[in-house]
Amino acid sequence: MDLAGIGVKMWDEKKIKRFRRALLDWYDKEKRDLPWRRTQNPYFIWVSEIMLQQTRVDTVIPYYERFLATFPTIKDLAEAPEETLLKCWEGLGYYSRVRNMQKAAIQVMEEFGGEFPNTYDGILSLKGIGPYTAGAIASIAFGLPEPAVDGNLMRVISRLFEVNLDIGNPSNRWAFQEIAEILIDPDRPGDFNQALMDLGSDIESPVNPRPEESPVKDFSAAYLNGTMHIYPIKKPKKKPTPMKWRAFVVQDEQGRFLVEKNTQADLLSGFWHFPLIRDFSTIGESIDLFEGVLEESSNYEINQNIPLEVQFESLYRMKLTPIRLLPKSVKHIFSHQRWDIELQYASALGEVKNNSSRTLKWVTKEEMKLLPQSRVQGKMCEILVGQELL
């Protein structure tokens, strides 16, 4: 595709060299001292790049250090038990990232003899690694002139050249990739990419940018033309779908809590949490999820008006008493869903019967802390602590 066709006129070689020098001189003076910048170990850099996706730098640092202390080599990661892996990642969210990392680690062991691949295509072949991460690892760890095109880089480039393309549309990535391939410093590609990351995340951040402080403002068409407020072009994201849930906080006669391991391939897969039942009563959704669920309890008519307590007693095969809703609910936003979770507290009458379709445990509050838990479960526990129920 032609850059001129989208109104981008590329600089001549002299201007490109001046741009590289201005950017890297600034980076040499202002770069942040981060643990993954003190190494060229591709495994360490890979861990940092995956953690930094959708997560702030200051949040990542302790996770990064703990993760590498727990799994110091790719072999350790490949062989890690799932519960240990999830517990180590607990709180970072987007848990498919760490699951894909383990799959990629197994790939490295089986397909690359335990050595991290040292080519862009080899890195890109690993599970969960896309063009941005492959470019970052290739340039930082191996000195390959491969750009790392993420949101920060696209934001900076969009302003440099007044690129009239929506940066949120994946089909437009080619333009930013092509421009970055021309601009990247062949002698210091890793530093060049990290300099653009730093510039885009701070001075040219999406909110409250400070373009007058930019080391490359004299190269920025948007700055020079007074169009910083227009670029980058990005259409608003689709709002997350609202979903209502009921969490059942159930204790037995010994004061232990009932928790369930989610074995389905969804947001909380592999984590332990209080039993959750989807509440369809207020939004008129389909009840297909419950087709067949109550077949052993033929007294119930399957419809979305079945009280959640009745659904719980059928699904988990136990009676509850007394039952009361807690005054506070949990609100949690995933990338595409917005959950509102009511907490229902109750005592169990009798033990849970064996049910091969569910993985359940009765645990003390101390034992609960040792299990992998999502942030959703953490928020529920915080409410229970405030109510002196945990």
Side-chain angles (χ1 to χ4, degrees):
M1 296 186 184
D2 183 14
L3 289 174
I6 58 170
V8 172
K9 183 179 179 181
M10 184 47 62
W11 306 327
D12 61 31
E13 189 62 28
K14 286 184 178 179
K15 187 170 184 179
I16 291 172
K17 287 181 178 179
R18 291 202 310 273
F19 172 79
R20 292 169 179 163
R21 186 163 55 249
L23 180 66
L24 289 170
D25 284 350
W26 168 79
Y27 179 72
D28 288 339
K29 294 175 185 175
E30 303 294 336
K31 66 180 177 182
R32 292 171 290 180
D33 180 24
L34 302 171
W36 45 87
R37 288 184 175 170
R38 304 173 202 148
T39 180
Q40 285 189 293
N41 184 318
Y43 171 54
F44 294 179
I45 293 166
W46 172 42
V47 170
S48 73
E49 287 297 336
I50 299 299
M51 285 187 172
L52 286 166
Q53 294 170 14
Q54 294 125 342
T55 311
R56 293 172 57 86
V57 169
D58 54 353
T59 301
V60 163
I61 292 174
Y63 279 95
Y64 170 84
E65 292 172 341
R66 183 168 66 248
F67 191 91
L68 290 179
T70 308
F71 313 115
T73 68
I74 292 177
K75 184 174 184 290
D76 294 318
L77 175 57
E79 297 174 352
E82 183 188 47
E83 289 211 350
T84 305
L85 191 68
L86 294 177
K87 191 66 181 175
C88 202
W89 198 269
E90 188 178 286
L92 273 178
Y94 301 94
Y95 294 97
S96 62
R97 294 182 294 175
V98 73
R99 289 192 175 93
N100 284 335
M101 282 182 68
Q102 185 169 53
K103 291 175 184 176
I106 294 170
Q107 264 185 279
V108 171
M109 299 305 298
E110 294 179 349
E111 299 174 19
F112 295 93
E115 294 292 326
F116 201 94
N118 59 5
T119 65
Y120 177 82
D121 288 340
I123 298 168
L124 189 61
S125 73
L126 299 179
K127 179 73 175 177
I129 292 185
Y132 161 75
T133 305
I137 298 170
S139 62
I140 298 169
F142 301 110
L144 301 177
E146 298 286 351
V149 181
D150 69 346
N152 288 320
L153 184 144
M154 287 193 285
R155 188 181 312 112
V156 173
I157 287 180
S158 181
R159 291 167 176 167
L160 285 173
F161 296 93
E162 293 182 321
V163 181
N164 291 302
L165 295 174
D166 179 3
I167 67 170
N169 186 339
S171 66
N172 293 330
R173 189 181 184 279
W174 71 268
F176 300 95
Q177 178 77 24
E178 192 165 321
I179 293 170
E181 287 175 356
I182 297 170
L183 294 180
I184 194 167
D185 191 303
D187 299 320
R188 298 177 60 187
D191 287 345
F192 183 88
N193 282 332
Q194 290 178 100
L196 285 179
M197 293 174 200
D198 281 6
L199 183 63
S201 64
D202 182 22
I203 291 174
E204 295 211 23
S205 63
V207 180
N208 299 322
R210 309 185 307 280
E212 66 284 350
E213 298 178 24
S214 173
V216 294
K217 64 183 179 183
D218 294 337
F219 297 85
S220 173
Y223 178 77
L224 297 173
N225 296 332
T227 58
M228 287 288 291
H229 61 291
I230 297 175
Y231 299 95
I233 295 170
K234 188 174 184 181
K235 293 180 181 178
K237 281 186 178 181
K238 186 178 178 181
K239 290 184 177 179
T241 303
M243 300 176 76
K244 193 169 182 180
W245 297 82
R246 179 78 58 83
F248 286 81
V249 183
V250 181
Q251 282 188 282
D252 66 5
E253 293 177 350
Q254 290 139 36
R256 298 177 302 175
F257 293 89
L258 181 66
V259 290
E260 176 174 8
K261 184 177 182 180
N262 190 340
T263 56
Q264 304 301 311
D266 60 14
L267 289 169
L268 303 180
S269 178
F271 287 91
W272 292 86
H273 51 75
F274 299 123
L276 290 166
I277 294 182
R278 181 81 177 275
D279 184 353
F280 294 97
S281 62
T282 59
I283 48 181
E285 295 187 53
S286 165
I287 60 161
D288 290 345
L289 279 176
F290 285 101
E291 293 294 343
V293 162
L294 304 177
E295 71 275 9
E296 294 183 15
S297 304
S298 56
N299 293 332
Y300 301 123
E301 179 184 0
I302 300 177
N303 64 64
Q304 62 199 76
N305 296 317
I306 297 175
L308 295 177
E309 296 85 353
V310 175
Q311 292 182 27
F312 177 89
E313 292 183 350
S314 175
L315 288 166
Y316 293 88
R317 302 176 188 178
M318 72 169 70
K319 292 289 184 180
L320 301 177
T321 185
I323 295 174
R324 64 185 175 99
L325 282 176
L326 300 186
K328 290 186 178 181
S329 64
V330 166
K331 301 186 187 306
H332 190 84
I333 298 178
F334 297 98
S335 58
H336 59 293
Q337 295 178 8
R338 186 179 75 249
W339 286 18
D340 186 353
I341 308 171
E342 292 181 318
L343 276 73
Q344 189 149 338
Y345 181 78
S347 297
L349 293 178
E351 286 284 346
V352 180
K353 294 181 181 178
N354 291 333
N355 186 337
S356 59
S357 67
R358 296 185 175 275
T359 305
L360 304 169
K361 277 186 182 181
W362 289 103
V363 295
T364 64
K365 62 181 181 180
E366 290 77 17
E367 291 169 337
M368 192 187 306
K369 293 174 184 177
L370 301 177
L371 298 173
Q373 299 178 50
S374 68
R375 182 66 186 119
V376 172
Q377 177 71 4
K379 287 181 178 181
M380 290 192 281
C381 289
E382 288 168 10
I383 288 178
L384 293 173
V385 170
Q387 296 285 313
E388 298 184 348
L389 295 172
L390 182 65

